[in-house]
Amino acid sequence: MATINENYLKLKAGYLFPEIARRVNAFAQANPAAQIIKLGIGDVTEPLPQACRQAMIHAVHDMGDRATFQGYGPEQGYPWLREKIAAQDFQARGCDISADEIFISDGSKCDTGNILDIFGSNNAIAVTDPVYPVYVDTNVMAGHTGPANEQGEYEGLVYLPINAENNFTAAPPSQKVDLIYLCFPNNPTGAVATKAQLQEWVNYARENQAIIFFDAAYEAFITDPDIPHSIYEIEGAQDCAIEFRSFSKNAGFTGTRCALTVVPKTLTAQTQAGAAVDLWKLWNRRQSTKFNGVSYIVQRGAEAVYSPEGQAQIQDLVRFYLENAKIIRDQLTTAGLQVYGGVNAPYVWVKTPNALSSWDFFDKLLHNCHVVGTPGSGFGAAGEGYFRISAFNSRDNVNQAMKRIISKL
Amino acid sequence: MATINENYLKLKAGYLFPEIARRVNAFAQANPAAQIIKLGIGDVTEPLPQACRQAMIHAVHDMGDRATFQGYGPEQGYPWLREKIAAQDFQARGCDISADEIFISDGSKCDTGNILDIFGSNNAIAVTDPVYPVYVDTNVMAGHTGPANEQGEYEGLVYLPINAENNFTAAPPSQKVDLIYLCFPNNPTGAVATKAQLQEWVNYARENQAIIFFDAAYEAFITDPDIPHSIYEIEGAQDCAIEFRSFSKNAGFTGTRCALTVVPKTLTAQTQAGAAVDLWKLWNRRQSTKFNGVSYIVQRGAEAVYSPEGQAQIQDLVRFYLENAKIIRDQLTTAGLQVYGGVNAPYVWVKTPNALSSWDFFDKLLHNCHVVGTPGSGFGAAGEGYFRISAFNSRDNVNQAMKRIISKL
């Protein structure tokens, strides 16, 4: 009799984005004339950079000639891509990261889930609240939690609230934890962490022999020169942190699929008996056995991000979305709302007015303005009373949405 | 103190293909003039079909225009691809499989490993011996086995020997198992299973409430019209089988990356308490949470496989490799070797002469003929005394390799 992984049954059925889709569809059916503007899901809208498209077309042609055809590539990614990432994303910022510490993958969502494969089942795990739901759900599926309570908090996880009171940057907990998820610039709040704040986390991790999972998917949106882009800009991070990055948001690869994970060779974790084991070796074994590399064509597209033209084009894209974020911040402030984020991040985090719940504000915005955002409570209990507005949309849509909010909310 | 998944430490360090690479590199360094022909790893060598390349170039252009740009796609794959697969690969052969039972992924290697996520940790698991090593290693990593013995057999797995005596098609075991890996046409032996043989497996699975993982990655190579291409051609299979398929070997996508997994909606497994749970729902939740879909560009390439031009082009590719296999079979037979497979599969399975061990035959072939194959013992203890020759190469290389074997072995 085949049995299932019963941890899946602990997952809350009403996942955030399906519930949003359900409410939007119901409203659209009841109001077929409404022109709904979606500033909900964090998906890009602008065309892929020309440099990436040219490189991919070239790569498709490579696949048509026996002499340049590519079969199985290295599971870790092609050296020509890993070397450019190491040089331009890390070494250029003073981070001592080498090409063979970079693992190319098809997405940070996959990697932040899969990374748990190489860790034991008895680690104490900390997440911020609100948080990207994938961090939590993958731990539930792996059996690292008990059931959820009414607020959706899972037994056994350590939740670190981030809110206006602590400037949306949680401090290390008083208790001992072993694995810590941090995401800066933060999804969903748009907050960033200073060097001093990250140094505190690194110090905590080293003192407690903990590992930090640092999600830097939004680093390209940092405008403040004092804010670190990589955890490896922090002294000691190479002994305690794994970093996740993506081409989804800087180069618009959400539908093209390429990302990377950095596992420094200096990183270790322990056996139950207290022996140190290299995490690089475990992740390399995991990827070699359960993954077969990213499409050659897509990796050539990602490589083009590092050409001078590619760099200019992704900077244009980032500037475009950041200008959207500025418009959203300014206009919502004009509308009398309290806003956070949106300066070093493509997300604006809004305090709901009049103590409305996140979902009530969602419904009000949808019904009065025909604008869709994301309820803060969908990212965790401490997100209740907040709301996420995404800057990923056309300028026309952003302007139109803000006009409606100012006049009709 | 972060702890590791200690099951990884049970894995045998000398994985098959790295060990082959090590010996080949050592020989090449010592013999720089030798022109080594590699008939080892099962990687394709011929260009991608033109229909696929054209479709991918079109898709790259789609990504350059805001109106046709694609962001996040469905985690399960685009409906236009899933519908063509359901119609042409399954319904056309009388299998009652619908589009929403097909999950598009970036590789069968990934899927055959990831599928374990949704199953419990106390299932009895059967694999054939020899076997594709990924089935075994992913179970070791998931903690479903004890340590390995000297032959590399892991405690707790049920090994079903396949050899010349049973025509390379294992019969169902006498004991009860819960999860069963079958691969037909078989890697590494090139054997196929008849309808009657698969019906025996389906009957066994239904009687024991077991689930069959059916790897059909090589189905395109079936030439015998009586051999089933899909497990769903067998009555009752929809109640007990998950099927894995790939574009790697029929359309040459090893470096392009696209595959699919079929999870029928009628399929269930049990909780410890004996409640039936839909596996489709669990796999859908797994993929939605830990995967973000395959590149739009690649999915358009896979879709083109189902156009009339695409079908003609992949048939040409398959015919080309099968003609290579026929040459290998014929020439090795002329050389006095006993061969199996290679008729409905791109692999020829060779009995080593004079009771040589698999690795001794590997060394002899490399040193005398400068030809690389794969030692059968690398696929499991019962592969000892056998050797795999792959038909994935150019005609010139195959002819040259066979000439050397006949004259110099």
Side-chain angles (χ1 to χ4, degrees), chain B residues 307-384:
Chain B
S307 66
E309 306 75 40
Q311 286 289 299
Q313 291 162 14
I314 67 164
Q315 278 158 26
D316 285 347
L317 269 179
V318 166
R319 254 195 302 271
F320 173 81
Y321 292 124
L322 281 175
E323 179 65 22
N324 280 351
K326 183 173 166 18
I327 293 168
I328 293 168
R329 274 182 66 91
D330 291 350
Q331 296 296 301
L332 294 183
T333 304
T334 301
L337 294 167
Q338 175 69 50
V339 299
Y340 305 93
V343 175
N344 294 291
Y347 297 125
V348 177
W349 189 241
V350 185
K351 184 91 193 84
T352 61
N354 309 318
L356 280 179
S357 79
S358 297
W359 278 109
D360 284 348
F361 187 70
F362 174 92
D363 288 334
K364 191 172 175 188
L365 204 61
L366 178 60
H367 288 255
N368 293 2
C369 310
H370 309 171
V371 171
V372 179
T374 313
S377 57
F379 297 100
E384 180 57 274

Side-chain angles (χ1 to χ4, degrees), chain A residues 127-136 159 162 181 183 186-188 376 378-380:
Chain A
V127 293
T128 61
D129 180 7
V131 69
Y132 178 47
V134 167
Y135 307 157
V136 172
Y159 289 91
I162 56 177
Y181 292 81
C183 172
N186 187 251
N187 175 17
F379 296 100

Side-chain angles (χ1 to χ4, degrees), chain A residues 245-268:
Chain A
R245 288 209 180 187
S246 171
F247 294 96
S248 284
K249 308 298 162 86
N250 62 347
F253 270 44
T254 54
T256 302
R257 314 300 316 139
C258 199
L260 59 112
T261 289
V262 186
V263 184
K265 291 202 165 177
T266 43
L267 211 57
T268 61

Side-chain angles (χ1 to χ4, degrees), chain A residues 54-326:
Chain A
Q54 278 177 338
M56 288 196 285
I57 286 172
H58 195 275
V60 174
H61 289 306
D62 287 347
M63 292 302 231
D65 182 340
R66 204 180 187 285
T68 51
F69 176 78
Q70 301 290 324
Y72 290 120
E75 288 98 346
Q76 301 83 357
Y78 285 98
W80 36 258
L81 176 56
R82 301 168 85 191
E83 280 157 16
K84 288 187 183 71
I85 293 167
Q88 297 190 41
D89 283 344
F90 294 99
Q91 291 159 15
R93 296 194 66 85
C95 306
D96 184 20
I97 295 295
S98 63
D100 61 356
E101 295 175 314
I102 289 165
F103 294 80
I104 308 300
S105 84
D106 64 330
S108 283
K109 186 184 181 185
C110 318
D111 284 354
T112 54
N114 293 336
I115 196 73
L116 293 175
D117 282 9
I118 65 170
F119 288 94
S121 54
N122 54 352
N123 289 296
I125 294 159
V127 293
T128 61
D129 180 7
V131 69
Y132 178 47
V134 167
Y135 307 157
V136 172
D137 288 359
T138 52
N139 274 291
V140 176
M141 289 152 73
H144 298 167
T145 75
N149 66 18
E150 277 180 15
Q151 286 84 49
E153 295 167 324
Y154 289 92
E155 192 183 295
L157 288 185
V158 175
Y159 289 91
L160 308 171
I162 56 177
N163 48 39
E165 288 67 48
N166 63 21
N167 210 20
F168 300 100
T169 51
S174 48
Q175 76 259 56
K176 230 168 125 65
V177 296
D178 306 308
L179 301 176
I180 302 147
Y181 292 81
L182 295 178
C183 172
F184 291 110
N186 187 251
N187 175 17
T189 67
V192 286
T194 63
K195 273 202 169 176
Q197 286 165 331
L198 290 180
Q199 188 70 61
E200 258 196 272
W201 274 109
V202 166
N203 294 346
Y204 172 91
R206 296 184 72 186
E207 279 157 25
N208 293 280
Q209 295 183 276
I211 300 290
I212 295 170
F213 297 152
F214 190 77
D215 186 343
Y218 298 95
E219 63 78 29
F221 294 87
I222 293 173
T223 52
D224 183 337
D226 291 334
I227 298 294
H229 288 235
S230 167
I231 188 83
Y232 305 115
E233 294 178 47
I234 308 303
E235 186 162 344
Q238 276 169 280
D239 298 327
C240 65
I242 290 171
E243 182 163 308
F244 304 96
R245 288 209 180 187
S246 171
F247 294 96
S248 284
K249 308 298 162 86
N250 62 347
F253 270 44
T254 54
T256 302
R257 314 300 316 139
C258 199
L260 59 112
T261 289
V262 186
V263 184
K265 291 202 165 177
T266 43
L267 211 57
T268 61
Q270 317 271 319
T271 63
Q272 291 296 325
V277 176
D278 287 350
L279 291 176
W280 185 94
K281 281 187 190 165
L282 296 186
W283 184 244
N284 190 55
R285 188 59 154 95
R286 194 266 168 214
Q287 292 299 84
S288 305
T289 307
K290 296 181 75 171
F291 185 58
N292 238 333
V294 171
S295 177
Y296 168 74
I297 298 159
V298 171
Q299 289 192 65
R300 282 293 186 200
E303 183 192 25
V305 164
Y306 297 93
S307 66
E309 307 76 39
Q311 286 289 298
Q313 290 162 15
I314 68 165
Q315 278 158 25
D316 285 347
L317 269 180
V318 165
R319 254 195 302 270
F320 172 80
Y321 293 124
L322 280 175
E323 180 64 22
N324 280 352
K326 183 173 165 19

Side-chain angles (χ1 to χ4, degrees), chain A residues 1-6 8-9 11-13 15 41-48 53-54 56-57 60-61 63-66 69-73 75 106 109-110 113-114 117-123 132 134 137-138 141 176-179 208-211 248-249 252 254-257 269-274 277 279 282 285-298 393-394 397, chain B residues 1-6 8-9 11-13 15 41-48 53-54 56-57 60-61 63-66 69-73 75 106 109-110 113-114 117-123 132 134 137-138 141 176-179 208-211 248-249 252 254-257 269-274 277 279 282 285-298 393-394 397:
Chain A
M1 184 183 90
T3 60
I4 63 152
N5 175 354
E6 295 190 29
Y8 275 62
L9 306 182
L11 290 163
K12 305 274 282 184
Y15 183 65
I41 196 164
D43 196 3
V44 297
T45 56
E46 302 308 302
L48 277 192
R53 285 182 279 125
Q54 278 177 338
M56 288 196 285
I57 286 172
V60 174
H61 289 306
M63 292 302 231
D65 182 340
R66 204 180 187 285
F69 176 78
Q70 301 290 324
Y72 290 120
E75 288 98 346
D106 64 330
K109 186 184 181 185
C110 318
N114 293 336
D117 282 9
I118 65 170
F119 288 94
S121 54
N122 54 352
N123 289 296
Y132 178 47
V134 167
D137 288 359
T138 52
M141 289 152 73
K176 230 168 125 65
V177 296
D178 306 308
L179 301 176
N208 293 280
Q209 295 183 276
I211 300 290
S248 284
K249 308 298 162 86
T254 54
T256 302
R257 314 300 316 139
Q270 317 271 319
T271 63
Q272 291 296 325
V277 176
L279 291 176
L282 296 186
R285 188 59 154 95
R286 194 266 168 214
Q287 292 299 84
S288 305
T289 307
K290 296 181 75 171
F291 185 58
N292 238 333
V294 171
S295 177
Y296 168 74
I297 298 159
V298 171
N393 217 312
S394 69
N397 278 347
Chain B
M1 183 184 92
T3 60
I4 63 153
N5 174 356
E6 295 190 29
Y8 275 62
L9 306 182
L11 290 163
K12 306 273 282 184
Y15 183 65
I41 196 164
D43 196 3
V44 296
T45 56
E46 303 308 303
L48 276 192
R53 286 181 279 124
Q54 278 178 340
M56 289 196 283
I57 286 173
V60 173
H61 289 307
M63 292 302 232
D65 182 340
R66 205 181 186 284
F69 176 78
Q70 301 291 324
Y72 290 120
E75 289 98 347
D106 65 329
K109 186 183 180 185
C110 319
N114 293 336
D117 282 8
I118 65 170
F119 287 94
S121 55
N122 55 352
N123 289 296
Y132 178 47
V134 167
D137 288 359
T138 52
M141 289 152 75
K176 232 167 125 64
V177 296
D178 306 307
L179 302 176
N208 293 281
Q209 294 183 275
I211 301 289
S248 284
K249 308 299 162 85
T254 55
T256 302
R257 313 301 315 139
Q270 318 271 318
T271 63
Q272 291 296 325
V277 176
L279 291 176
L282 296 187
R285 189 59 153 94
R286 194 266 167 214
Q287 292 298 84
S288 304
T289 307
K290 296 181 75 172
F291 185 58
N292 238 332
V294 171
S295 178
Y296 169 74
I297 298 160
V298 171
N393 216 311
S394 69
N397 278 347

Side-chain angles (χ1 to χ4, degrees), chain B residues 20-279:
Chain B
I20 291 175
R22 195 188 64 72
R23 294 192 189 206
V24 171
N25 289 341
F27 178 78
Q29 281 188 354
N31 303 272
Q35 295 205 304
I36 297 171
I37 298 175
K38 295 185 181 178
L39 302 176
I41 196 164
D43 196 3
V44 296
T45 56
E46 303 308 303
L48 276 192
Q50 197 195 15
C52 302
R53 286 181 279 124
Q54 278 178 340
M56 289 196 283
I57 286 173
H58 194 276
V60 173
H61 289 307
D62 286 348
M63 292 302 232
D65 182 340
R66 205 181 186 284
T68 50
F69 176 78
Q70 301 291 324
Y72 290 120
E75 289 98 347
Q76 302 81 358
Y78 285 99
W80 36 259
L81 176 56
R82 301 168 85 191
E83 280 157 16
K84 289 188 182 71
I85 293 168
Q88 297 190 40
D89 283 343
F90 294 99
Q91 291 158 15
R93 295 195 66 85
C95 307
D96 184 20
I97 295 294
S98 64
D100 61 355
E101 295 175 314
I102 290 166
F103 293 80
I104 308 300
S105 84
D106 65 329
S108 282
K109 186 183 180 185
C110 319
D111 284 354
T112 54
N114 293 336
I115 196 73
L116 293 175
D117 282 8
I118 65 170
F119 287 94
S121 55
N122 55 352
N123 289 296
I125 293 160
V127 294
T128 61
D129 180 9
V131 70
Y132 178 47
V134 167
Y135 307 157
V136 172
D137 288 359
T138 52
N139 273 292
V140 176
M141 289 152 75
H144 297 169
T145 74
N149 65 18
E150 277 181 14
Q151 287 85 49
E153 294 168 323
Y154 289 92
E155 192 183 295
L157 288 185
V158 175
Y159 288 91
L160 308 171
I162 55 178
N163 48 40
E165 288 68 48
N166 62 23
N167 210 20
F168 300 100
T169 51
S174 47
Q175 75 259 57
K176 232 167 125 64
V177 296
D178 306 307
L179 302 176
I180 303 148
Y181 292 81
L182 295 179
C183 173
F184 291 111
N186 186 251
N187 175 16
T189 68
V192 285
T194 63
K195 272 201 169 177
Q197 286 165 332
L198 290 181
Q199 188 71 60
E200 259 196 273
W201 275 109
V202 167
N203 293 346
Y204 172 91
R206 296 184 74 188
E207 278 158 25
N208 293 281
Q209 294 183 275
I211 301 289
I212 295 170
F213 297 152
F214 190 77
D215 185 343
Y218 298 95
E219 63 78 28
F221 293 87
I222 294 173
T223 52
D224 183 337
D226 290 336
I227 297 294
H229 287 236
S230 167
I231 188 84
Y232 304 116
E233 294 178 47
I234 309 303
E235 186 161 346
Q238 276 169 280
D239 298 327
C240 65
I242 290 171
E243 182 163 308
F244 303 96
R245 288 209 180 187
S246 170
F247 294 96
S248 284
K249 308 299 162 85
N250 63 347
F253 269 45
T254 55
T256 302
R257 313 301 315 139
C258 199
L260 60 111
T261 289
V262 186
V263 184
K265 291 203 166 176
T266 42
L267 211 55
T268 61
Q270 318 271 318
T271 63
Q272 291 296 325
V277 176
D278 287 350
L279 291 176

